[in-house]
Amino acid sequence: MPKTVLYAEKLYPDDKVERAVYGPDVRVKWLNVQNLSQLEDRDCADVDGLMVLRMGVTAEQLAKFPKLKCVVRMGVGYDKVDRKAAEARGVMVCN
């Protein structure tokens, strides 16, 4: 089964670069929410990787992603990601 990476913020007009970088074995999901709490459970169920820029990631929001293995903060620092909650769930946090 292919891995799924979710971009929760619509940052770019298309996903051509991401598809070229990830290759055919990774599915890219593009959504546009102001907060991860706005995501439906069905949007989170198959997500292996989460890419965020402006939004934070709380313990409650991490719990919405049963398969999550990695959160990538596409900005400077980790201050918007609950790293202790991520560690408890075995989720890697990167930037």
Side-chain angles (χ1 to χ4, degrees):
M1 176 170 230
K3 299 293 184 192
T4 300
V5 176
L6 170 64
Y7 285 76
E9 301 167 84
K10 184 73 172 165
L11 302 172
Y12 312 109
D14 60 50
D15 61 359
K16 288 179 187 175
V17 171
E18 286 73 17
R19 291 197 188 279
V21 169
Y22 292 130
D25 296 331
V26 175
R27 190 174 128 224
V28 178
K29 282 174 91 168
W30 288 81
L31 299 174
N32 194 26
V33 295
Q34 297 297 316
N35 184 302
L36 294 174
S37 299
Q38 296 173 318
L39 293 171
E40 301 289 333
D41 289 343
R42 69 178 181 271
D43 295 326
C44 305
D46 62 346
V47 173
D48 300 286
L50 176 64
M51 305 288 283
V52 295
L53 176 62
R54 295 177 288 265
M55 62 180 63
V57 184
T58 67
E60 294 79 19
Q61 292 164 340
L62 283 169
K64 293 177 66 99
F65 299 92
K67 291 181 55 186
L68 192 65
K69 297 295 178 210
C70 183
V71 174
V72 175
R73 167 98 161 88
M74 298 183 291
V76 177
Y78 301 110
D79 58 318
K80 292 187 170 194
V81 179
D82 187 332
R83 293 172 305 179
K84 289 196 182 283
E87 179 184 24
R89 294 180 50 86
V91 175
M92 181 181 359
V93 178
C94 315
N95 70 350

